[in-house]
Amino acid sequence: MAIRGALRELSVQLSLLNRQVGARLELKDVDLDCLDLINAHGPLTPSALARRTGLHPATMTGILDRLERGGWISRDRDPSDRRAVRISTRRDRNAELLGLFAGMNTSLEHICAGYEDADLELVADFLGRAAEAGRIAAESLTAE
């Protein structure tokens, strides 16, 4: 099926792009993934992030330590429960991160310009459903 091959190739190319971005920022691939999840869904507790990634809490602590030392995240007490910690990204670092993805983002804008809005909605729906399938598959492997 052509779509599976195209998705596999997209996955590989995005992984390679992320590896290059991570190398420029001196971040491991998993650090960049966690940073992206915090940006998208944060602020998060360390345990919520560990659940989302399927990583052991001790592993997550090491990742968060590296991200905090690098100035990418902050750990703050939750105002509603002073015992809990919430992790958020340092928004002042986003420009640096986005700058490294600028080439890809510009390319995507050019690609999208060649499609009708209805076509893009269909593609977005497909990609969202494919991402959800991937999340569910990863969760099922984590549960084993």
Side-chain angles (χ1 to χ4, degrees), residues 14 28 76:
L14 290 176
K28 295 181 179 187
D76 302 299

Side-chain angles (χ1 to χ4, degrees), residues 27-38:
L27 293 173
K28 295 181 179 187
D29 294 354
V30 71
D31 299 348
L32 197 55
D33 290 340
C34 288
L35 189 59
D36 193 34
L37 286 169
I38 298 165

Side-chain angles (χ1 to χ4, degrees), residues 2-138:
I3 197 78
R4 284 189 188 144
L7 284 173
R8 177 169 279 136
E9 181 64 17
L10 176 61
S11 174
V12 167
Q13 293 308 318
L14 290 176
S15 178
L16 293 172
L17 174 61
N18 283 344
R19 183 164 292 125
Q20 291 297 320
V21 168
R24 291 271 180 102
L25 300 173
E26 298 180 356
L27 293 173
K28 295 181 179 187
D29 294 354
V30 71
D31 299 348
L32 197 55
D33 290 340
C34 288
L35 189 59
D36 193 34
L37 286 169
I38 298 165
N39 262 321
H41 305 286
L44 295 170
T45 64
S47 58
L49 184 58
R51 278 192 304 276
R52 279 188 178 272
T53 60
L55 296 171
H56 190 276
T59 302
M60 185 56 60
T61 298
I63 292 167
L64 294 175
D65 287 346
R66 282 192 304 273
L67 290 172
E68 188 173 40
R69 273 193 312 272
W72 293 100
I73 63 163
S74 62
R75 292 174 170 151
D76 302 299
R77 293 281 173 208
D78 186 335
S80 63
D81 178 359
R82 298 290 300 158
R83 295 170 295 163
V85 172
R86 312 270 304 164
I87 302 155
S88 21
T89 57
R90 301 254 328 266
R91 299 291 181 192
D92 57 320
R93 298 292 306 265
N94 278 352
E96 185 179 355
L97 188 60
L98 291 174
L100 293 171
F101 285 106
M104 180 63 175
N105 289 335
T106 299
S107 293
L108 285 174
E109 287 173 16
H110 290 302
I111 292 166
C112 289
Y115 290 89
E116 298 293 325
D117 287 345
D119 295 330
L120 292 172
E121 288 176 24
L122 182 65
V123 171
D125 177 66
F126 171 80
L127 291 173
R129 293 168 72 179
E132 178 67 8
R135 185 189 63 74
I136 290 168

